[in-house]
Amino acid sequence: MNAKIALFGAGGKMGVRLSKNLAKSDFRVAHVEVSDIGRKRLKDEVGVDCIEVDAALDGADVVILAVPDTLIGKVSHAIAPKLKAGTMVMLLDAAAPFAGHLPERPDLIYFVSHPCHPLIFNDETTDEARRDYFGGVAAKQSITSALMQGPDESFALGEAVAKAIYAPILRSYRLTVEQMAILEPGLSETICATLLDVMREAMDETVRRGVPAECARDFLLGHMNILAAVTFKEIPGMFSDACNKAIQFGKPRLMRDDWLKCLDNDEIAESIRRIT
């Protein structure tokens, strides 16, 4: 596939990740970066130079906005008048599109894609892959994508770009933007990241109460491994009666009765409003 991609934010941490993978693809890439630090990072790590915005957008089939959520609205509105009809604008997170920060251009294609990141339970065989926690380097990861606006046949191009920037790929899922927003910030951040932060606080408190720090860490991470394997059906098995009793009394101590409402549309929308 020889489509031209204009990559905005190419010198940021995410932009450099994408640039490295796109360099291995057949896509033609024009890199855009406003900061001197980012331009130098891109040159040092990827070996490519940035070009000016107008040159990058000239003939671009896909424009990837690898910029912070808070800048999506500003950048997309700034470049929209320069885009020809049928250009695909690709976002790497559902937050800004969900919040309605994209320009009103019915003749543009809006595509959203976000990685799942490598799974805790995997079959990776190399140290590099096992240590690739973020993905996009050596470990396989699944991806989620949504065609927010545009003809259905455009999905194939967006998915091809997504598979290139997030490679190597395990599975690819087609969702709606609303479903992607439930996954993040809902499931992954509001729930998962919060509970992990609580577990870290509990571990620190355990250490404060006298348990050696290394022991507490080993004990918690080891139990996370086996308990997660059972909970998510990675292995056959069940919790002990004592563990089930601890959950029965622990959940109401830790969780509000209505905690699942954090996945409701209005709470997702409010969460996204805070970050965009």
Side-chain angles (χ1 to χ4, degrees):
M1 190 169 291
N2 199 34
K4 178 182 177 180
I5 295 174
L7 175 60
F8 281 67
K13 289 192 295 183
M14 193 64 190
V16 168
R17 287 177 176 272
L18 271 55
S19 296
K20 288 179 178 179
N21 277 351
L22 286 171
K24 305 171 189 176
S25 74
D26 293 330
F27 292 108
R28 296 175 291 125
V29 185
H31 303 79
V32 178
E33 173 58 52
V34 297
S35 74
D36 292 336
I37 293 176
R39 288 174 178 244
K40 185 178 186 303
R41 182 189 297 122
L42 188 68
K43 183 66 173 179
D44 291 345
E45 296 191 28
V46 190
V48 298
D49 295 307
C50 292
I51 64 175
E52 296 306 311
V53 171
D54 288 349
L57 294 178
D58 184 26
D61 301 292
V62 180
V63 179
I64 301 177
L65 300 184
V67 300
D69 288 332
T70 53
L71 295 179
I72 291 294
K74 179 181 178 180
V75 175
S76 61
H77 279 79
I79 67 172
K82 303 174 184 290
L83 302 180
K84 67 180 186 295
T87 302
M88 176 178 289
V89 179
M90 185 169 181
L91 296 309
L92 307 181
D93 188 279
F98 182 91
H101 293 322
L102 299 180
E104 289 288 340
R105 276 285 305 269
D107 59 336
L108 296 179
I109 299 165
Y110 290 154
F111 190 91
V112 187
S113 188
H114 193 78
C116 295
H117 303 300
L119 301 178
I120 292 176
F121 305 113
N122 60 71
D123 59 357
E124 302 295 351
T125 58
T126 68
D127 288 340
E128 183 185 24
R130 285 191 289 267
R131 300 291 295 182
D132 181 16
Y133 300 118
F134 189 90
V137 178
K140 297 184 292 295
Q141 64 177 335
S142 296
I143 57 174
T144 60
S145 300
L147 179 63
M148 180 177 183
Q149 174 179 295
D152 194 66
E153 57 267 24
S154 300
F155 185 84
L157 173 59
E159 184 180 44
V161 175
K163 287 182 174 180
I165 62 178
Y166 297 131
I169 302 300
L170 179 62
R171 289 179 284 270
S172 177
Y173 299 102
R174 182 172 182 175
L175 305 176
T176 65
V177 171
E178 291 74 20
Q179 288 171 329
M180 291 181 70
I182 293 173
L183 291 174
E184 186 167 310
L187 181 63
S188 63
E189 295 174 344
T190 303
I191 295 177
C192 183
T194 299
L195 293 178
L196 286 171
D197 192 61
V198 168
M199 283 191 280
R200 174 57 193 261
E201 286 187 16
M203 186 190 77
D204 291 343
E205 178 63 15
T206 300
V207 173
R208 192 190 70 80
R209 295 183 183 213
V211 177
E214 188 173 21
C215 173
R217 188 176 189 275
D218 284 354
F219 202 86
L220 178 60
L221 295 183
H223 277 75
M224 285 172 64
N225 190 38
I226 180 58
L227 294 174
V230 173
T231 299
F232 292 96
K233 310 301 183 185
E234 185 68 19
I235 60 172
M238 60 184 65
F239 294 153
S240 67
D241 290 343
C243 184
N244 283 324
K245 186 69 70 173
I247 293 171
Q248 179 185 347
F249 286 92
K251 187 176 289 187
R253 183 71 175 86
L254 296 172
M255 309 293 291
R256 289 171 37 167
D257 290 341
D258 63 348
W259 71 269
L260 280 172
K261 287 186 177 180
C262 66
L263 293 176
D264 287 354
N265 187 72
D266 58 342
E267 294 215 20
I268 294 291
E270 177 60 20
S271 177
I272 288 175
R273 185 197 63 77
R274 289 192 294 266
I275 65 176
T276 60

